[in-house]
Amino acid sequence: MQTRTYGDLFKITSALIGTGGQLDVTEQDQLSHFINRRFQQAFDESPVWPRYLVPSEERELALYKLSNATSSTSTLVNQSYILLGIASGSNTTPGTNVYQGVTTRSACIYKNSSNAWIVTTGNDFSTQGLPKGTVSVNNGGGEVVQFTEADTVKNDSIENVTTWTPRADADQLEVVTQRVIPYSQVSVATLENVGEFLKVHRKKAFLNNSSMEYEFFVDFDGANILNIANTNDTSAFVTYKKDFTPFTVTSDYYNSTVEVPGEFFNYIAHAVYADFLRVQNRQEQALAEEQVAQTYLALELEKIDIRSNNNTINKRFSTYVNRQSR
């Protein structure tokens, strides 16, 4: 997709302002803030900008959420956990599940060699030389067992554990089952953070075969799937908009080579010029320039609407353009 440079954006905006050269240092800093503000406005106008849309990507489900651990044990325990794999090794119960923390990857839940569930921090894991889906829990060195299952008859599932013995004091661990797609996918570093959840399917969608689409609601933890088809499922396929990342240029603005999305370039330049006109209390000129900026943005949004006529991914979403035509 086409891009322009941040330096070009700064030069064009300065030319519109009419400085005949470069702005002074204070005005340059002000301009950079205006640019980020307008950049986010353009980004927020549509959930399906092609540059930021990721269709039907497999993401792991967080299956448990632990809470109520204090500093007497470790507050790192308090988070959601995904299924990492099947345990292998003498320090575990082979063939049982190993769960890894979503926000702190060194926290995990697994069955020890006595068949008791334990919640630990300070772990690392290895899959080298093991069958696919199998993981070795390396509990030497920094591992600290924070909670241990105390039930006489050991449970197959974490949620069925009645009594947890804390490492110290009297922390009462709370375990809640969930089916949540986290915003960040810790086990696969190459995946983008989710900025906005758009669609969730059980299987890979938008191919030859149809796939069940889930209803969901979004909270602090991520997308909560409603009425999951199979409680044994550990992943779902998510269509989402990437997280917004503002420009981080703080100096040498006119020579910056940071990429600016081509579809936003003209809108940002004219919208920022309108902001400068408002600062100078030139309101009528600012309104006229704002209209120019909105025209550039509307043209880009119209391209999305044209594609949406035959594009399953775009269904259900409205933009500035199609709202104006109703």
Side-chain angles (χ1 to χ4, degrees):
M1 303 190 74
Q2 290 187 341
T3 60
R4 303 282 295 275
T5 68
Y6 193 89
D8 285 345
L9 180 60
F10 232 81
K11 292 169 186 174
I12 289 176
T13 307
S14 295
L16 289 170
I17 294 171
T19 61
Q22 294 189 1
L23 300 169
D24 64 36
V25 174
T26 301
E27 289 176 327
Q28 288 182 31
D29 289 340
Q30 186 179 40
L31 182 61
S32 71
H33 292 301
F34 284 159
I35 286 174
N36 266 336
R37 172 176 172 267
R38 292 301 193 153
F39 180 25
Q40 181 155 17
Q41 282 186 343
F43 177 88
D44 290 341
E45 276 295 320
S46 173
V48 287
W49 289 115
R51 184 183 302 272
Y52 300 105
L53 180 68
V54 180
S56 198
E57 179 180 82
E58 186 172 16
R59 314 275 293 201
E60 293 166 330
L61 299 178
L63 305 177
Y64 294 100
K65 185 173 184 178
L66 275 54
S67 59
N68 287 351
T70 69
S71 57
S72 296
T73 50
S74 175
T75 56
L76 296 178
V77 167
N78 299 327
Q79 58 177 313
S80 294
Y81 291 79
I82 61 171
L83 177 65
L84 182 62
I86 304 300
S88 173
S90 59
N91 55 301
T92 66
T93 299
T96 57
N97 291 341
V98 177
Y99 300 92
Q100 182 182 36
V102 168
T103 54
T104 303
R105 299 179 64 177
S106 59
C108 74
I109 311 168
Y110 68 95
K111 275 182 172 275
N112 62 17
S113 56
S114 299
N115 199 37
W117 287 107
I118 57 175
V119 182
T120 68
T121 55
N123 290 96
D124 59 79
F125 312 93
S126 175
T127 58
Q128 187 173 2
L130 297 174
K132 184 178 180 180
T134 304
V135 61
S136 174
V137 180
N138 303 320
N139 62 354
E143 182 191 71
V144 179
V145 178
Q146 306 293 352
F147 293 90
T148 304
E149 178 186 9
D151 295 355
T152 303
V153 178
K154 304 308 178 187
N155 294 275
D156 293 333
S157 301
I158 300 169
E159 64 268 29
N160 293 330
V161 175
T162 302
T163 306
W164 293 94
T165 300
R167 173 176 61 84
D169 291 340
D171 287 2
Q172 298 292 314
L173 185 66
E174 182 176 350
V175 178
V176 176
T177 59
Q178 58 179 187
R179 293 295 183 274
V180 173
I181 304 164
Y183 293 98
S184 298
Q185 195 73 84
V186 296
S187 62
V188 184
T190 57
L191 296 184
E192 298 274 356
N193 288 345
V194 175
E196 182 180 355
F197 290 95
L198 302 177
K199 292 173 178 283
V200 179
H201 290 86
R202 186 184 182 197
K203 301 294 183 183
K204 186 75 172 177
F206 313 123
L207 297 175
N208 292 331
N209 296 322
S210 61
S211 176
M212 176 187 294
E213 183 175 357
Y214 286 124
E215 292 185 341
F216 62 93
F217 67 91
V218 177
D219 62 10
F220 179 81
D221 295 320
N224 295 256
I225 295 177
L226 301 176
N227 302 317
I228 194 163
N230 190 327
T231 55
N232 292 323
D233 287 353
T234 59
S235 67
F237 290 80
V238 185
T239 298
Y240 65 91
K241 185 181 179 183
K242 297 177 185 178
D243 205 8
F244 174 72
T245 304
F247 299 121
T248 57
V249 183
T250 57
S251 63
D252 197 20
Y253 299 109
Y254 288 94
N255 297 311
S256 173
T257 58
V258 169
E259 292 184 344
V260 176
E263 61 270 29
F264 297 163
F265 189 89
N266 288 320
Y267 165 76
I268 294 174
H270 287 271
V272 168
Y273 176 37
D275 291 336
F276 257 83
L277 291 170
R278 290 189 183 91
V279 170
Q280 297 169 350
N281 201 30
R282 297 158 65 183
Q283 302 299 335
E284 290 187 6
Q285 289 174 278
L287 286 173
E289 196 62 34
E290 187 73 39
Q291 287 299 315
V292 173
Q294 290 297 332
T295 298
Y296 277 116
L297 186 60
L299 288 171
E300 296 298 331
L301 290 168
E302 187 176 13
K303 294 176 184 178
I304 296 176
D305 285 339
I306 292 171
R307 284 192 296 268
S308 72
N309 290 334
N310 297 309
N311 189 342
T312 303
I313 297 176
N314 286 4
K315 290 179 180 178
R316 296 189 186 175
F317 302 120
S318 63
T319 66
Y320 167 82
V321 174
N322 61 34
R323 286 196 300 272
Q324 294 302 304
S325 64
R326 290 173 186 168

Short mmCIF file of all heavy atoms in Angstrom, two decimals, residues 85-115:
data_model
loop_
_atom_site.label_atom_id
_atom_site.label_comp_id
_atom_site.label_asym_id
_atom_site.label_seq_id
_atom_site.Cartn_x
_atom_site.Cartn_y
_atom_site.Cartn_z
N GLY A 85 0.09 -26.46 26.34
CA GLY A 85 0.36 -27.76 25.73
C GLY A 85 0.14 -28.88 26.73
O GLY A 85 -0.40 -28.68 27.82
N ILE A 86 0.60 -30.07 26.35
CA ILE A 86 0.49 -31.26 27.19
C ILE A 86 1.82 -31.49 27.89
O ILE A 86 2.88 -31.42 27.29
CB ILE A 86 0.10 -32.50 26.34
CG1 ILE A 86 -1.19 -32.21 25.57
CG2 ILE A 86 -0.06 -33.72 27.23
CD1 ILE A 86 -2.38 -31.89 26.44
N ALA A 87 1.74 -31.79 29.17
CA ALA A 87 2.94 -31.88 30.00
C ALA A 87 3.80 -33.08 29.65
O ALA A 87 3.30 -34.17 29.31
CB ALA A 87 2.55 -31.94 31.48
N SER A 88 5.12 -32.86 29.74
CA SER A 88 6.09 -33.92 29.59
C SER A 88 7.22 -33.64 30.58
O SER A 88 7.60 -32.50 30.79
CB SER A 88 6.65 -33.95 28.16
OG SER A 88 7.71 -34.87 28.05
N GLY A 89 7.74 -34.69 31.22
CA GLY A 89 8.85 -34.48 32.14
C GLY A 89 8.60 -35.09 33.50
O GLY A 89 7.44 -35.27 33.91
N SER A 90 9.65 -35.37 34.21
CA SER A 90 9.55 -36.06 35.49
C SER A 90 8.94 -35.22 36.59
O SER A 90 8.42 -35.74 37.58
CB SER A 90 10.94 -36.52 35.93
OG SER A 90 11.81 -35.41 36.06
N ASN A 91 8.97 -33.90 36.44
CA ASN A 91 8.44 -33.02 37.48
C ASN A 91 6.95 -32.74 37.33
O ASN A 91 6.37 -32.00 38.11
CB ASN A 91 9.20 -31.69 37.48
CG ASN A 91 9.18 -31.03 36.12
OD1 ASN A 91 9.63 -31.60 35.14
ND2 ASN A 91 8.64 -29.81 36.07
N THR A 92 6.33 -33.34 36.31
CA THR A 92 4.91 -33.13 36.05
C THR A 92 4.19 -34.47 36.04
O THR A 92 4.80 -35.53 36.17
CB THR A 92 4.70 -32.45 34.69
OG1 THR A 92 5.12 -33.35 33.65
CG2 THR A 92 5.49 -31.15 34.59
N THR A 93 2.86 -34.41 35.86
CA THR A 93 2.09 -35.61 35.56
C THR A 93 1.93 -35.67 34.05
O THR A 93 1.17 -34.89 33.47
CB THR A 93 0.70 -35.56 36.23
OG1 THR A 93 0.87 -35.48 37.65
CG2 THR A 93 -0.11 -36.80 35.90
N PRO A 94 2.69 -36.52 33.38
CA PRO A 94 2.67 -36.55 31.90
C PRO A 94 1.27 -36.75 31.36
O PRO A 94 0.46 -37.50 31.92
CB PRO A 94 3.58 -37.74 31.57
CG PRO A 94 4.48 -37.86 32.75
CD PRO A 94 3.63 -37.51 33.94
N GLY A 95 0.98 -36.05 30.26
CA GLY A 95 -0.31 -36.19 29.59
C GLY A 95 -1.37 -35.24 30.10
O GLY A 95 -2.49 -35.24 29.58
N THR A 96 -1.05 -34.42 31.11
CA THR A 96 -2.01 -33.44 31.61
C THR A 96 -1.70 -32.06 31.04
O THR A 96 -0.63 -31.83 30.48
CB THR A 96 -1.99 -33.38 33.15
OG1 THR A 96 -0.65 -33.09 33.59
CG2 THR A 96 -2.42 -34.73 33.74
N ASN A 97 -2.65 -31.15 31.19
CA ASN A 97 -2.53 -29.83 30.56
C ASN A 97 -1.59 -28.90 31.33
O ASN A 97 -1.51 -28.96 32.56
CB ASN A 97 -3.90 -29.16 30.46
CG ASN A 97 -4.81 -29.85 29.45
OD1 ASN A 97 -4.34 -30.59 28.59
ND2 ASN A 97 -6.10 -29.59 29.56
N VAL A 98 -0.93 -28.05 30.56
CA VAL A 98 -0.11 -26.98 31.13
C VAL A 98 -0.68 -25.66 30.63
O VAL A 98 -0.89 -25.48 29.43
CB VAL A 98 1.37 -27.09 30.69
CG1 VAL A 98 2.18 -25.92 31.25
CG2 VAL A 98 1.96 -28.41 31.14
N TYR A 99 -0.95 -24.74 31.56
CA TYR A 99 -1.54 -23.45 31.22
C TYR A 99 -0.53 -22.34 31.52
O TYR A 99 0.16 -22.37 32.53
CB TYR A 99 -2.83 -23.21 32.01
CG TYR A 99 -3.88 -24.26 31.76
CD1 TYR A 99 -3.97 -25.40 32.57
CD2 TYR A 99 -4.80 -24.12 30.72
CE1 TYR A 99 -4.93 -26.37 32.34
CE2 TYR A 99 -5.76 -25.09 30.49
CZ TYR A 99 -5.83 -26.21 31.30
OH TYR A 99 -6.78 -27.17 31.06
N GLN A 100 -0.48 -21.34 30.63
CA GLN A 100 0.47 -20.25 30.76
C GLN A 100 -0.25 -18.92 30.90
O GLN A 100 -1.29 -18.69 30.28
CB GLN A 100 1.37 -20.19 29.52
CG GLN A 100 2.44 -19.11 29.58
CD GLN A 100 3.26 -19.07 28.30
OE1 GLN A 100 2.75 -19.29 27.21
NE2 GLN A 100 4.55 -18.80 28.41
N GLY A 101 0.30 -18.03 31.73
CA GLY A 101 -0.29 -16.71 31.92
C GLY A 101 -0.29 -15.88 30.66
O GLY A 101 0.63 -15.95 29.85
N VAL A 102 -1.32 -15.06 30.50
CA VAL A 102 -1.46 -14.21 29.32
C VAL A 102 -0.58 -12.97 29.45
O VAL A 102 0.08 -12.58 28.49
CB VAL A 102 -2.94 -13.82 29.11
CG1 VAL A 102 -3.07 -12.69 28.09
CG2 VAL A 102 -3.74 -15.02 28.67
N THR A 103 -0.58 -12.35 30.62
CA THR A 103 0.18 -11.11 30.79
C THR A 103 1.59 -11.34 31.33
O THR A 103 2.52 -10.62 30.98
CB THR A 103 -0.56 -10.13 31.71
OG1 THR A 103 -0.86 -10.79 32.95
CG2 THR A 103 -1.85 -9.66 31.08
N THR A 104 1.76 -12.34 32.19
CA THR A 104 3.08 -12.71 32.69
C THR A 104 3.34 -14.15 32.30
O THR A 104 2.79 -15.08 32.89
CB THR A 104 3.16 -12.56 34.23
OG1 THR A 104 2.84 -11.21 34.59
CG2 THR A 104 4.57 -12.89 34.73
N ARG A 105 4.19 -14.35 31.30
CA ARG A 105 4.34 -15.67 30.68
C ARG A 105 5.03 -16.67 31.59
O ARG A 105 4.95 -17.87 31.36
CB ARG A 105 5.12 -15.51 29.38
CG ARG A 105 4.42 -14.62 28.37
CD ARG A 105 5.21 -14.46 27.09
NE ARG A 105 5.38 -15.72 26.38
CZ ARG A 105 5.99 -15.83 25.21
NH1 ARG A 105 6.50 -14.75 24.64
NH2 ARG A 105 6.11 -16.99 24.63
N SER A 106 5.73 -16.20 32.61
CA SER A 106 6.45 -17.13 33.49
C SER A 106 5.54 -17.73 34.56
O SER A 106 5.98 -18.59 35.33
CB SER A 106 7.63 -16.42 34.17
OG SER A 106 7.17 -15.31 34.93
N ALA A 107 4.28 -17.28 34.62
CA ALA A 107 3.31 -17.88 35.54
C ALA A 107 2.60 -19.03 34.83
O ALA A 107 2.25 -18.92 33.66
CB ALA A 107 2.30 -16.84 36.01
N CYS A 108 2.39 -20.13 35.55
CA CYS A 108 1.72 -21.25 34.89
C CYS A 108 0.98 -22.11 35.91
O CYS A 108 1.15 -21.99 37.13
CB CYS A 108 2.70 -22.08 34.08
SG CYS A 108 3.79 -23.14 35.05
N ILE A 109 0.14 -22.97 35.36
CA ILE A 109 -0.63 -23.94 36.14
C ILE A 109 -0.38 -25.31 35.52
O ILE A 109 -0.53 -25.48 34.31
CB ILE A 109 -2.15 -23.64 36.11
CG1 ILE A 109 -2.43 -22.16 36.42
CG2 ILE A 109 -2.91 -24.54 37.06
CD1 ILE A 109 -3.86 -21.75 36.12
N TYR A 110 0.00 -26.27 36.35
CA TYR A 110 0.19 -27.62 35.84
C TYR A 110 0.10 -28.61 37.00
O TYR A 110 0.09 -28.23 38.17
CB TYR A 110 1.51 -27.76 35.09
CG TYR A 110 2.76 -27.65 35.95
CD1 TYR A 110 3.39 -28.78 36.46
CD2 TYR A 110 3.33 -26.40 36.23
CE1 TYR A 110 4.55 -28.68 37.22
CE2 TYR A 110 4.49 -26.30 36.97
CZ TYR A 110 5.09 -27.44 37.47
OH TYR A 110 6.24 -27.34 38.24
N LYS A 111 0.05 -29.90 36.67
CA LYS A 111 0.02 -30.95 37.69
C LYS A 111 1.45 -31.39 37.98
O LYS A 111 2.21 -31.73 37.08
CB LYS A 111 -0.82 -32.14 37.21
CG LYS A 111 -2.32 -32.00 37.47
CD LYS A 111 -3.06 -33.25 37.00
CE LYS A 111 -4.53 -33.21 37.43
NZ LYS A 111 -4.73 -33.71 38.78
N ASN A 112 1.78 -31.42 39.27
CA ASN A 112 3.12 -31.88 39.64
C ASN A 112 3.20 -33.41 39.60
O ASN A 112 2.21 -34.08 39.24
CB ASN A 112 3.53 -31.32 41.00
CG ASN A 112 2.62 -31.79 42.13
OD1 ASN A 112 1.87 -32.76 41.99
ND2 ASN A 112 2.68 -31.08 43.26
N SER A 113 4.32 -33.94 39.98
CA SER A 113 4.51 -35.40 39.91
C SER A 113 3.63 -36.15 40.90
O SER A 113 3.49 -37.37 40.81
CB SER A 113 5.99 -35.75 40.15
OG SER A 113 6.43 -35.23 41.39
N SER A 114 3.01 -35.44 41.85
CA SER A 114 2.07 -36.06 42.81
C SER A 114 0.63 -35.94 42.34
O SER A 114 -0.30 -36.21 43.12
CB SER A 114 2.22 -35.41 44.19
OG SER A 114 3.53 -35.59 44.68
N ASN A 115 0.43 -35.51 41.10
CA ASN A 115 -0.89 -35.39 40.48
C ASN A 115 -1.72 -34.25 41.07
O ASN A 115 -2.94 -34.22 40.92
CB ASN A 115 -1.67 -36.70 40.58
CG ASN A 115 -2.81 -36.76 39.57
OD1 ASN A 115 -2.70 -36.28 38.44
ND2 ASN A 115 -3.94 -37.34 39.98
#
